[in-house]
Amino acid sequence: MSSVVDSERYALRLIYELEKAKPEDIGKEMGFSAEYAAVLCRSLWKNGCIRGTAMTGYEITPEGEKFLASLKGK
């Protein structure tokens, strides 16, 4: 998996906690615009961490769960 920046990690944790989230939900929680959250989601989607669409919402993949588990304790 390519490098994931801090804001992407935060977005991934939010998607995990919410179970399914749209960019506007993620942006609101993070204090960012929905457009910026959509950019984060596209990057996470390309890395295989999430699946779904901006219209239906994103959910974490098994690969994304493994990535989050690897961050525990860091």
Side-chain angles (χ1 to χ4, degrees), residues 1-5 7-9 11-12 15 35-51 58:
M1 177 183 307
S2 65
S3 177
V4 176
V5 296
S7 55
E8 290 173 329
R9 287 185 197 116
L12 187 59
I15 294 167
E35 291 80 14
Y36 182 67
V39 170
L40 296 175
C41 289
R42 273 193 297 274
S43 179
L44 290 167
W45 183 83
K46 286 180 182 178
N47 282 323
C49 293
I50 60 174
R51 64 178 162 240
Y58 293 100

Side-chain angles (χ1 to χ4, degrees), residues 2 6 10-11 21 25-26 31 36-39 41 44 47-50 53-54 56-57 64-65 70-71 74:
S2 65
D6 287 340
Y10 185 29
D25 303 325
I26 297 163
Y36 182 67
V39 170
C41 289
L44 290 167
N47 282 323
C49 293
I50 60 174
T53 68
T56 61
E65 288 181 7
S70 74
L71 297 176
K74 289 186 180 181

